[in-house]
Amino acid sequence: MFIQAEDITEILMLEQRRLDDAFAQRETLVREVHHRIKNNLQGIAGLLEQTALDQPELLRPVRILASRIQTIAQVHGLQIHPGRAIPLGELVEAIALSIEQALGRPMQVELRDAWAG
């Protein structure tokens, strides 16, 4: 009977490095896509703001629409770091800021602990 053993540690390490590199590349691509989406949405919101200035009769509805698009852009901005938890407070503040800008009035955000009673 003949048994041959081979050390595959190096092969496993190379495969792990290849997987790590592929994962890092994927994360970079996802961040880039979210960044581009965010920038495009902000560009659209800017065009809507310009339309609102050019056509004063549309000022309020166009600003509300631009604010909604800006809110979506804010959420995409928070997603630029995939794998990182998005703090709820950060998300609520970004949305509140967009609503604040649309309404032209300050907003107060109060987060309460639902378990506190």
Side-chain angles (χ1 to χ4, degrees), residues 53-101:
L53 294 175
D54 293 343
Q55 299 179 17
E57 68 277 5
L58 299 176
L59 183 67
R60 181 142 172 80
V62 170
R63 281 215 167 138
I64 290 170
L65 181 58
S67 172
R68 289 178 181 170
I69 291 171
Q70 188 65 31
T71 299
I72 295 168
Q74 291 287 337
V75 171
H76 271 282
L78 294 173
Q79 293 177 359
I80 289 174
H81 305 288
R84 182 192 120 207
I86 300 172
L88 180 59
E90 197 175 317
L91 180 62
V92 170
E93 285 178 13
I95 293 170
L97 178 61
S98 294
I99 294 170
E100 206 174 74
Q101 291 171 348

Side-chain angles (χ1 to χ4, degrees), residues 8-43:
I8 61 168
T9 305
E10 189 174 326
I11 294 169
L12 291 175
M13 288 174 49
L14 287 172
E15 181 63 17
Q16 186 61 48
R17 265 189 253 138
R18 187 187 70 75
L19 289 173
D20 290 345
D21 290 346
F23 183 76
Q25 183 178 20
R26 179 193 169 279
E27 292 297 311
T28 300
L29 290 172
V30 167
R31 274 194 311 275
E32 181 63 25
V33 166
H34 279 290
H35 182 71
R36 287 181 184 212
I37 290 170
K38 179 186 134 202
N39 285 348
N40 287 335
L41 288 170
Q42 287 177 328

